[in-house]
Amino acid sequence: MNSPKEKTLLSLDHAEITIPDIFSSHGKFRKHQEAVVCGSVRRTWGDFNDNMNRVANALLASGASRGDRVVVMMGNSVEILEVMFGIVKAGCCVVPLSGLLTGQQLASLINDCGATQAFATPDFIERLRPFQDEVLHLNASHRYVVHGQVQGWTDYQALTQGQSTGTPNVVYRSEDAFNIIYSSGTTGLPKGILQSHRARVHWAISNALEMRFSDRSRALTTTSLYSNGTWLMMLPVLFSGGTCVVMPAFDPMAFSKLVKEEKITHTFMVPAQFIALLQTDMDSHDLSTLEVILCAGSPLRRETKRQVIERMGDKLIELYGFSEGFATMLKPGAPADKFDTVGIPVLGFEVRILDESGQVLGPGEIGEIAGYGPGMMSCYHGKAAETAALIWQDERGRTFIRSGDIGRQDKEGYLTLVDRKKDMIISGGFNVFPADLEEILGQHADVLDATVIGVPHERWGETPLALVILRPGAAFDSASMLTWCNERLAKHQRLSNIETRQDFPRNALGKVLKRILREPYWVNAQT
């Protein structure tokens, strides 16, 4: 007698939160609520989600498959968000590239990530044109131009017109590549930071909770959308079902007006933007809708921080972060004696302070900052050795990422950032941290902004040189300013000279590129 056929029993999925599925949900249940605003363009969640789906379905129809790298070369607009997240909805990996790069650098990074498709605006395409023959993997039929017409590139509207607005038939896995974002290159050539769906979900949830985002939040982004730092504001507000208001380009005069008109609740700026904003007449605008003002990119000087709180309210959150994967926050309500710190780890992260041999240091001891948590990158794309060099393992075998930054933690776990390890100046055998000197320079009445670099010195090896941007109308007296600063510095910290600049070279988040400032002095010394 034959035994009955055994039935295969179904088991439940290990269901996970994914950003594409969350956006699909908002498109259904918040259809008529605003999702994105940029200039005169306004998108509801229904239209925003439909357009993301059109991009995704167009890519799938072109033969795109899971994990394919797709480059995005666009400035701030509603469309860049629809393109970036449409790429992710197709199961592909989005690679946004910086508008600060040269054509040759763009070609190099397109090759580095192995992109097979690309979306770009005409200005990027024109920059890339002299080097387009060097691009290896980018199929000629898979190049799409947005906001214009360019010969040899498919029109974006033609690509997406007629495509289904239905949810793509894609299953997203937490370990899948979500994006590659290239580092700002403050200490060398950019490296591709590969982040998974898991890391981006943690980024969205942790920042949404820490900064109190909801579906009623209206967040203003003031920096470039290709930048990882901008995602601190953009991703959690969209994840929460709120509204992301995008400045096409930062204008300090327009900022306060936009906050008032759009009833902004959350915003993010870098120190250079705060400095510029403080020079304007903010008091003529109602900023009372602001609940959270985030600063990241580099630390605020104490005096600038006091002015921000005095003029904008006690709403400032300072974030110290490392794009490769961890962060701390100092929030309003922290004890007064923590004012000079960068706070405690963001939800889900841990921080350790290490000495040169990798031993964990105790409270108050200065060493390298290392961090651990679910927001860590998967790796540097194509750079296994560089990835391995960052890793430090704790007593449980967990892999922390070494930051290259120097700091200390107090007994309560509050982190004080001392400086970047690579920016530290060793003068006559003494460690000199530029941030300490920059803090003093910033207190001078004639100084709007300042940075300190190490330059060659015959006797001491290297010595601190100050570069300053003067306040409008200030007269520069180098000898007087040098005396004023050195009277307030320890002997081994004293500045050798002060020079003026009209501006500093900066990355997309306003961080000063000190390697560019140092380079001429060291090249001249060698020749």
Side-chain angles (χ1 to χ4, degrees), residues 170-183:
V170 176
V171 175
Y172 312 103
R173 301 182 299 219
S174 62
E175 67 273 17
D176 286 346
F178 189 104
N179 63 258
I180 295 173
I181 288 189
Y182 281 90
S183 67

PDB file of all heavy atoms in Angstrom, residues 170-183:
ATOM      1  N   VAL A 170      10.376  42.700  -6.396  1.00  0.00           N
ATOM      2  CA  VAL A 170      11.730  42.509  -5.869  1.00  0.00           C
ATOM      3  C   VAL A 170      11.643  42.228  -4.374  1.00  0.00           C
ATOM      4  O   VAL A 170      10.882  42.887  -3.649  1.00  0.00           O
ATOM      5  CB  VAL A 170      12.605  43.758  -6.111  1.00  0.00           C
ATOM      6  CG1 VAL A 170      13.982  43.588  -5.465  1.00  0.00           C
ATOM      7  CG2 VAL A 170      12.756  44.034  -7.604  1.00  0.00           C
ATOM      8  N   VAL A 171      12.417  41.266  -3.903  1.00  0.00           N
ATOM      9  CA  VAL A 171      12.550  41.000  -2.468  1.00  0.00           C
ATOM     10  C   VAL A 171      13.876  41.584  -2.008  1.00  0.00           C
ATOM     11  O   VAL A 171      14.926  41.308  -2.604  1.00  0.00           O
ATOM     12  CB  VAL A 171      12.490  39.490  -2.170  1.00  0.00           C
ATOM     13  CG1 VAL A 171      12.751  39.231  -0.688  1.00  0.00           C
ATOM     14  CG2 VAL A 171      11.133  38.929  -2.580  1.00  0.00           C
ATOM     15  N   TYR A 172      13.839  42.404  -0.959  1.00  0.00           N
ATOM     16  CA  TYR A 172      15.044  43.064  -0.467  1.00  0.00           C
ATOM     17  C   TYR A 172      15.584  42.318   0.746  1.00  0.00           C
ATOM     18  O   TYR A 172      14.832  41.971   1.660  1.00  0.00           O
ATOM     19  CB  TYR A 172      14.727  44.525  -0.095  1.00  0.00           C
ATOM     20  CG  TYR A 172      13.956  45.234  -1.181  1.00  0.00           C
ATOM     21  CD1 TYR A 172      12.585  45.450  -1.058  1.00  0.00           C
ATOM     22  CD2 TYR A 172      14.589  45.645  -2.345  1.00  0.00           C
ATOM     23  CE1 TYR A 172      11.873  46.077  -2.055  1.00  0.00           C
ATOM     24  CE2 TYR A 172      13.877  46.270  -3.360  1.00  0.00           C
ATOM     25  CZ  TYR A 172      12.515  46.485  -3.213  1.00  0.00           C
ATOM     26  OH  TYR A 172      11.806  47.095  -4.211  1.00  0.00           O
ATOM     27  N   ARG A 173      16.884  42.075   0.739  1.00  0.00           N
ATOM     28  CA  ARG A 173      17.529  41.355   1.848  1.00  0.00           C
ATOM     29  C   ARG A 173      18.400  42.328   2.630  1.00  0.00           C
ATOM     30  O   ARG A 173      19.026  43.218   2.047  1.00  0.00           O
ATOM     31  CB  ARG A 173      18.363  40.196   1.301  1.00  0.00           C
ATOM     32  CG  ARG A 173      17.544  39.190   0.496  1.00  0.00           C
ATOM     33  CD  ARG A 173      18.388  38.029   0.004  1.00  0.00           C
ATOM     34  NE  ARG A 173      19.460  38.448  -0.867  1.00  0.00           N
ATOM     35  CZ  ARG A 173      19.857  37.782  -1.957  1.00  0.00           C
ATOM     36  NH1 ARG A 173      19.249  36.666  -2.301  1.00  0.00           N
ATOM     37  NH2 ARG A 173      20.856  38.217  -2.692  1.00  0.00           N
ATOM     38  N   SER A 174      18.466  42.112   3.913  1.00  0.00           N
ATOM     39  CA  SER A 174      19.164  43.073   4.770  1.00  0.00           C
ATOM     40  C   SER A 174      20.639  43.199   4.429  1.00  0.00           C
ATOM     41  O   SER A 174      21.240  44.262   4.598  1.00  0.00           O
ATOM     42  CB  SER A 174      19.004  42.689   6.248  1.00  0.00           C
ATOM     43  OG  SER A 174      19.580  41.413   6.503  1.00  0.00           O
ATOM     44  N   GLU A 175      21.236  42.136   3.912  1.00  0.00           N
ATOM     45  CA  GLU A 175      22.668  42.178   3.604  1.00  0.00           C
ATOM     46  C   GLU A 175      22.954  42.726   2.205  1.00  0.00           C
ATOM     47  O   GLU A 175      24.117  42.942   1.834  1.00  0.00           O
ATOM     48  CB  GLU A 175      23.291  40.788   3.749  1.00  0.00           C
ATOM     49  CG  GLU A 175      22.832  39.763   2.731  1.00  0.00           C
ATOM     50  CD  GLU A 175      21.562  39.016   3.131  1.00  0.00           C
ATOM     51  OE1 GLU A 175      20.834  39.502   4.036  1.00  0.00           O
ATOM     52  OE2 GLU A 175      21.292  37.951   2.533  1.00  0.00           O
ATOM     53  N   ASP A 176      21.920  42.963   1.401  1.00  0.00           N
ATOM     54  CA  ASP A 176      22.114  43.486   0.052  1.00  0.00           C
ATOM     55  C   ASP A 176      22.741  44.878   0.088  1.00  0.00           C
ATOM     56  O   ASP A 176      22.506  45.660   1.021  1.00  0.00           O
ATOM     57  CB  ASP A 176      20.784  43.580  -0.691  1.00  0.00           C
ATOM     58  CG  ASP A 176      20.251  42.235  -1.134  1.00  0.00           C
ATOM     59  OD1 ASP A 176      21.023  41.251  -1.098  1.00  0.00           O
ATOM     60  OD2 ASP A 176      19.068  42.159  -1.512  1.00  0.00           O
ATOM     61  N   ALA A 177      23.491  45.208  -0.957  1.00  0.00           N
ATOM     62  CA  ALA A 177      24.084  46.540  -1.071  1.00  0.00           C
ATOM     63  C   ALA A 177      22.998  47.568  -1.362  1.00  0.00           C
ATOM     64  O   ALA A 177      22.238  47.440  -2.321  1.00  0.00           O
ATOM     65  CB  ALA A 177      25.125  46.553  -2.183  1.00  0.00           C
ATOM     66  N   PHE A 178      22.924  48.582  -0.523  1.00  0.00           N
ATOM     67  CA  PHE A 178      21.967  49.681  -0.700  1.00  0.00           C
ATOM     68  C   PHE A 178      22.610  50.808  -1.504  1.00  0.00           C
ATOM     69  O   PHE A 178      22.042  51.313  -2.456  1.00  0.00           O
ATOM     70  CB  PHE A 178      21.536  50.196   0.679  1.00  0.00           C
ATOM     71  CG  PHE A 178      20.390  51.187   0.664  1.00  0.00           C
ATOM     72  CD1 PHE A 178      19.124  50.796   1.039  1.00  0.00           C
ATOM     73  CD2 PHE A 178      20.583  52.522   0.307  1.00  0.00           C
ATOM     74  CE1 PHE A 178      18.062  51.707   1.049  1.00  0.00           C
ATOM     75  CE2 PHE A 178      19.545  53.432   0.308  1.00  0.00           C
ATOM     76  CZ  PHE A 178      18.274  53.019   0.674  1.00  0.00           C
ATOM     77  N   ASN A 179      23.813  51.191  -1.089  1.00  0.00           N
ATOM     78  CA  ASN A 179      24.505  52.280  -1.783  1.00  0.00           C
ATOM     79  C   ASN A 179      26.012  52.173  -1.594  1.00  0.00           C
ATOM     80  O   ASN A 179      26.504  51.518  -0.670  1.00  0.00           O
ATOM     81  CB  ASN A 179      24.034  53.653  -1.295  1.00  0.00           C
ATOM     82  CG  ASN A 179      24.345  53.904   0.172  1.00  0.00           C
ATOM     83  OD1 ASN A 179      23.476  53.793   1.023  1.00  0.00           O
ATOM     84  ND2 ASN A 179      25.589  54.234   0.491  1.00  0.00           N
ATOM     85  N   ILE A 180      26.749  52.811  -2.493  1.00  0.00           N
ATOM     86  CA  ILE A 180      28.162  53.112  -2.297  1.00  0.00           C
ATOM     87  C   ILE A 180      28.279  54.623  -2.298  1.00  0.00           C
ATOM     88  O   ILE A 180      27.877  55.276  -3.262  1.00  0.00           O
ATOM     89  CB  ILE A 180      29.045  52.515  -3.411  1.00  0.00           C
ATOM     90  CG1 ILE A 180      28.986  50.984  -3.378  1.00  0.00           C
ATOM     91  CG2 ILE A 180      30.485  52.992  -3.274  1.00  0.00           C
ATOM     92  CD1 ILE A 180      29.701  50.317  -4.551  1.00  0.00           C
ATOM     93  N   ILE A 181      28.776  55.179  -1.199  1.00  0.00           N
ATOM     94  CA  ILE A 181      29.014  56.622  -1.135  1.00  0.00           C
ATOM     95  C   ILE A 181      30.505  56.831  -0.976  1.00  0.00           C
ATOM     96  O   ILE A 181      31.129  56.264  -0.070  1.00  0.00           O
ATOM     97  CB  ILE A 181      28.220  57.277   0.007  1.00  0.00           C
ATOM     98  CG1 ILE A 181      26.731  57.302  -0.362  1.00  0.00           C
ATOM     99  CG2 ILE A 181      28.727  58.683   0.286  1.00  0.00           C
ATOM    100  CD1 ILE A 181      25.843  58.096   0.557  1.00  0.00           C
ATOM    101  N   TYR A 182      31.068  57.619  -1.861  1.00  0.00           N
ATOM    102  CA  TYR A 182      32.507  57.838  -1.818  1.00  0.00           C
ATOM    103  C   TYR A 182      32.848  58.881  -0.761  1.00  0.00           C
ATOM    104  O   TYR A 182      32.183  59.906  -0.635  1.00  0.00           O
ATOM    105  CB  TYR A 182      33.037  58.242  -3.200  1.00  0.00           C
ATOM    106  CG  TYR A 182      33.191  57.039  -4.089  1.00  0.00           C
ATOM    107  CD1 TYR A 182      32.142  56.605  -4.892  1.00  0.00           C
ATOM    108  CD2 TYR A 182      34.359  56.282  -4.083  1.00  0.00           C
ATOM    109  CE1 TYR A 182      32.268  55.466  -5.686  1.00  0.00           C
ATOM    110  CE2 TYR A 182      34.491  55.145  -4.874  1.00  0.00           C
ATOM    111  CZ  TYR A 182      33.445  54.745  -5.663  1.00  0.00           C
ATOM    112  OH  TYR A 182      33.568  53.611  -6.431  1.00  0.00           O
ATOM    113  N   SER A 183      33.884  58.566   0.028  1.00  0.00           N
ATOM    114  CA  SER A 183      34.313  59.450   1.107  1.00  0.00           C
ATOM    115  C   SER A 183      34.710  60.799   0.538  1.00  0.00           C
ATOM    116  O   SER A 183      35.029  60.942  -0.639  1.00  0.00           O
ATOM    117  CB  SER A 183      35.500  58.833   1.862  1.00  0.00           C
ATOM    118  OG  SER A 183      36.640  58.784   1.019  1.00  0.00           O
TER     119      SER A 183
END
